Amino acid sequence: MAFTLASATELMEEIKKSRFLTRAFPINSIAEAEAIIETIRKEEATHHCYAWKFHSNYRFNDDGEPTGTAGKPILNAIEGKNCDCVLVIVTRWFGGVKLGTGGLVRAYGGGASRTLQKAELVELVDWQILTFHCPFNLLPIVENEVQNFLAQIDNRHFDDFGCEVTLRLPKPQQENFIDWIKDISSGKILIDGENSRSDMSL
Protein backbone atom coordinates (compact mmCIF):
# COMPACT_ATOMS: atom_id res chain seq x y z
CA MET A 1 0.00 0.00 0.00
CA ALA A 2 1.48 3.33 -1.11
CA PHE A 3 0.52 6.86 -0.15
CA THR A 4 0.92 10.35 -1.51
CA LEU A 5 0.23 13.73 0.08
CA ALA A 6 -3.18 15.37 0.24
CA SER A 7 -1.43 18.75 -0.12
CA ALA A 8 1.98 20.39 0.09
CA THR A 9 3.49 20.48 3.60
CA GLU A 10 6.51 22.25 5.06
CA LEU A 11 8.57 22.30 8.24
CA MET A 12 11.21 24.80 9.39
CA GLU A 13 13.92 23.67 11.83
CA GLU A 14 17.13 25.16 13.22
CA ILE A 15 20.02 22.77 13.83
CA LYS A 16 23.30 24.19 15.19
CA LYS A 17 22.60 27.65 13.76
CA SER A 18 21.72 26.34 10.28
CA ARG A 19 18.11 26.71 9.16
CA PHE A 20 16.48 23.82 7.31
CA LEU A 21 13.20 24.31 5.44
CA THR A 22 11.70 21.02 4.31
CA ARG A 23 8.95 21.15 1.71
CA ALA A 24 7.03 18.09 0.53
CA PHE A 25 4.76 18.06 -2.53
CA PRO A 26 2.41 15.57 -4.18
CA ILE A 27 3.37 15.22 -7.87
CA ASN A 28 1.39 13.99 -10.87
CA SER A 29 4.38 13.63 -13.19
CA ILE A 30 8.17 13.76 -13.33
CA ALA A 31 7.91 17.01 -15.30
CA GLU A 32 5.94 18.57 -12.43
CA ALA A 33 8.65 17.54 -9.96
CA GLU A 34 11.38 19.06 -12.12
CA ALA A 35 9.41 22.30 -12.52
CA ILE A 36 8.99 22.69 -8.75
CA ILE A 37 12.70 22.00 -8.22
CA GLU A 38 13.66 24.57 -10.86
CA THR A 39 11.49 27.21 -9.20
CA ILE A 40 12.80 26.59 -5.69
CA ARG A 41 16.44 26.51 -6.79
CA LYS A 42 16.10 30.17 -7.78
CA GLU A 43 15.71 31.07 -4.11
CA GLU A 44 18.82 32.33 -2.31
CA ALA A 45 20.12 29.56 -0.02
CA THR A 46 23.26 27.51 0.62
CA HIS A 47 21.79 24.20 -0.59
CA HIS A 48 18.57 22.89 -2.12
CA CYS A 49 18.77 19.11 -1.67
CA TYR A 50 15.94 16.92 -2.87
CA ALA A 51 14.55 13.52 -3.74
CA TRP A 52 11.45 12.45 -5.57
CA LYS A 53 9.74 9.14 -6.27
CA PHE A 54 7.21 8.59 -9.04
CA HIS A 55 6.22 4.93 -9.33
CA SER A 56 9.35 3.05 -10.45
CA ASN A 57 11.26 6.28 -11.13
CA TYR A 58 13.23 8.24 -8.57
CA ARG A 59 16.00 10.82 -8.33
CA PHE A 60 17.96 12.49 -5.55
CA ASN A 61 20.52 15.28 -5.39
CA ASP A 62 22.95 16.44 -2.68
CA ASP A 63 23.36 19.92 -4.24
CA GLY A 64 26.90 20.44 -2.96
CA GLU A 65 26.61 18.64 0.36
CA PRO A 66 28.99 15.66 0.85
CA THR A 67 27.92 12.69 -1.29
CA GLY A 68 25.25 10.55 0.33
CA THR A 69 24.46 12.95 3.18
CA ALA A 70 21.34 14.67 1.82
CA GLY A 71 19.54 13.38 -1.28
CA LYS A 72 19.67 9.69 -0.42
CA PRO A 73 18.54 10.17 3.21
CA ILE A 74 15.59 12.20 1.88
CA LEU A 75 14.70 9.38 -0.54
CA ASN A 76 15.03 6.87 2.30
CA ALA A 77 12.52 8.92 4.30
CA ILE A 78 10.07 8.90 1.39
CA GLU A 79 10.37 5.14 0.99
CA GLY A 80 10.29 4.62 4.76
CA LYS A 81 6.87 6.28 4.91
CA ASN A 82 5.61 4.14 1.97
CA CYS A 83 5.15 7.31 -0.09
CA ASP A 84 4.99 7.56 -3.87
CA CYS A 85 4.32 10.41 -6.31
CA VAL A 86 6.10 12.67 -3.83
CA LEU A 87 8.84 15.32 -4.03
CA VAL A 88 10.73 16.48 -0.94
CA ILE A 89 13.11 19.45 -1.05
CA VAL A 90 15.20 20.48 1.94
CA THR A 91 16.65 24.00 1.73
CA ARG A 92 19.57 24.87 4.03
CA TRP A 93 20.90 28.22 5.06
CA PHE A 94 24.34 27.53 6.55
CA GLY A 95 24.82 29.00 10.02
CA GLY A 96 28.58 28.65 10.38
CA VAL A 97 28.73 25.35 12.31
CA LYS A 98 29.59 22.18 10.39
CA LEU A 99 27.40 19.18 11.23
CA GLY A 100 29.62 16.36 9.98
CA THR A 101 28.38 13.58 7.73
CA GLY A 102 26.29 11.91 10.42
CA GLY A 103 24.74 15.21 11.45
CA LEU A 104 23.86 16.03 7.85
CA VAL A 105 22.20 12.66 7.32
CA ARG A 106 20.13 13.17 10.46
CA ALA A 107 19.25 16.75 9.50
CA TYR A 108 18.16 16.00 5.93
CA GLY A 109 16.69 12.55 6.43
CA GLY A 110 15.12 13.48 9.75
CA GLY A 111 13.61 16.68 8.39
CA ALA A 112 12.08 14.80 5.47
CA SER A 113 10.72 12.10 7.78
CA ARG A 114 9.21 14.59 10.21
CA THR A 115 7.60 16.58 7.41
CA LEU A 116 6.02 13.48 5.89
CA GLN A 117 4.89 12.43 9.36
CA LYS A 118 3.19 15.80 9.72
CA ALA A 119 1.53 15.64 6.29
CA GLU A 120 -1.92 14.24 5.57
CA LEU A 121 -1.43 11.08 3.49
CA VAL A 122 -3.91 9.60 1.02
CA GLU A 123 -3.77 6.10 -0.38
CA LEU A 124 -2.72 5.65 -4.00
CA VAL A 125 -5.03 3.32 -5.90
CA ASP A 126 -4.17 1.57 -9.16
CA TRP A 127 -7.42 2.28 -11.00
CA GLN A 128 -8.66 0.18 -13.90
CA ILE A 129 -10.80 2.05 -16.44
CA LEU A 130 -13.58 -0.06 -18.00
CA THR A 131 -15.97 0.91 -20.80
CA PHE A 132 -19.01 -1.14 -21.80
CA HIS A 133 -22.45 -0.76 -23.37
CA CYS A 134 -25.32 -1.41 -20.98
CA PRO A 135 -28.99 -1.98 -21.99
CA PHE A 136 -31.53 0.35 -20.38
CA ASN A 137 -33.10 -2.41 -18.28
CA LEU A 138 -29.75 -3.28 -16.62
CA LEU A 139 -28.48 0.25 -16.07
CA PRO A 140 -30.20 0.78 -12.66
CA ILE A 141 -28.73 -2.51 -11.42
CA VAL A 142 -25.23 -1.51 -12.52
CA GLU A 143 -25.57 1.94 -10.97
CA ASN A 144 -26.74 0.46 -7.66
CA GLU A 145 -24.14 -2.29 -7.47
CA VAL A 146 -20.92 -0.59 -8.57
CA GLN A 147 -20.24 0.62 -5.04
CA ASN A 148 -19.89 -3.01 -3.94
CA PHE A 149 -16.80 -3.17 -6.18
CA LEU A 150 -15.49 0.20 -4.87
CA ALA A 151 -16.13 1.52 -8.38
CA GLN A 152 -17.09 5.00 -9.56
CA ILE A 153 -18.94 5.85 -12.77
CA ASP A 154 -17.02 8.56 -14.60
CA ASN A 155 -19.16 8.97 -17.72
CA ARG A 156 -22.49 7.95 -19.28
CA HIS A 157 -23.30 8.31 -22.98
CA PHE A 158 -26.86 7.41 -23.97
CA ASP A 159 -28.00 6.15 -27.37
CA ASP A 160 -31.11 4.45 -28.77
CA PHE A 161 -30.18 1.07 -27.32
CA GLY A 162 -28.84 1.90 -23.88
CA CYS A 163 -25.88 3.61 -22.30
CA GLU A 164 -22.14 3.45 -22.80
CA VAL A 165 -20.71 3.46 -19.29
CA THR A 166 -17.15 4.35 -18.33
CA LEU A 167 -16.16 3.53 -14.79
CA ARG A 168 -13.04 3.11 -12.73
CA LEU A 169 -12.42 0.55 -10.05
CA PRO A 170 -9.44 -0.74 -8.07
CA LYS A 171 -7.49 -3.17 -10.21
CA PRO A 172 -7.94 -6.12 -7.78
CA GLN A 173 -11.72 -5.75 -8.28
CA GLN A 174 -11.56 -5.96 -12.08
CA GLU A 175 -11.97 -9.71 -12.51
CA ASN A 176 -14.82 -9.91 -10.00
CA PHE A 177 -16.67 -7.05 -11.70
CA ILE A 178 -16.28 -8.53 -15.19
CA ASP A 179 -17.58 -11.91 -13.96
CA TRP A 180 -20.55 -10.18 -12.30
CA ILE A 181 -21.45 -8.06 -15.33
CA LYS A 182 -21.33 -11.13 -17.61
CA ASP A 183 -23.53 -13.03 -15.16
CA ILE A 184 -26.31 -10.42 -14.85
CA SER A 185 -26.38 -9.88 -18.63
CA SER A 186 -26.11 -13.57 -19.57
CA GLY A 187 -22.90 -12.72 -21.38
CA LYS A 188 -24.43 -9.95 -23.49
CA ILE A 189 -22.43 -7.10 -21.93
CA LEU A 190 -18.87 -7.09 -23.18
CA ILE A 191 -16.03 -5.02 -21.74
CA ASP A 192 -14.73 -3.35 -24.90
CA GLY A 193 -11.96 -1.16 -23.56
CA GLU A 194 -9.73 -1.10 -20.53
CA ASN A 195 -6.80 0.93 -19.31
CA SER A 196 -5.13 1.39 -15.97
CA ARG A 197 -3.48 4.26 -14.22
CA SER A 198 -2.36 5.21 -10.76
CA ASP A 199 -4.40 7.86 -9.08
CA MET A 200 -5.21 9.17 -5.62
CA SER A 201 -8.25 7.88 -3.84
CA LEU A 202 -10.22 10.81 -2.45
Side-chain angles (χ1 to χ4, degrees), residues 115-153:
T115 303
L116 294 173
Q117 185 70 38
K118 172 185 174 184
E120 179 185 353
L121 302 181
V122 290
E123 183 181 353
L124 278 169
V125 178
D126 188 7
W127 293 106
Q128 191 77 6
I129 308 302
L130 302 179
T131 302
F132 55 91
H133 193 274
C134 183
F136 286 118
N137 66 312
L138 293 179
L139 185 59
I141 299 174
V142 171
E143 291 178 329
N144 288 332
E145 293 294 323
V146 290
Q147 61 186 357
N148 293 328
F149 299 93
L150 306 178
Q152 303 172 26
I153 294 178

Side-chain angles (χ1 to χ4, degrees), residues 13-35:
E13 299 176 298
E14 184 171 321
I15 302 173
K16 293 185 178 179
K17 298 186 178 180
S18 283
R19 286 185 300 133
F20 291 85
L21 174 60
T22 303
R23 286 169 279 192
F25 304 88
I27 54 173
N28 294 308
S29 67
I30 294 173
E32 182 181 6
E34 297 294 350

Side-chain angles (χ1 to χ4, degrees), residues 11 13-16 18 20-22 49 62 65-77 88 90 92 97-115:
L11 177 68
E13 299 176 298
E14 184 171 321
I15 302 173
K16 293 185 178 179
S18 283
F20 291 85
L21 174 60
T22 303
C49 305
D62 295 313
E65 294 283 31
T67 301
T69 62
K72 188 63 186 298
I74 297 170
L75 179 62
N76 289 342
V88 177
V90 183
R92 180 189 186 189
V97 179
K98 293 185 177 181
L99 302 182
T101 56
L104 289 171
V105 169
R106 288 189 294 272
Y108 284 101
S113 181
R114 287 185 290 273
T115 303

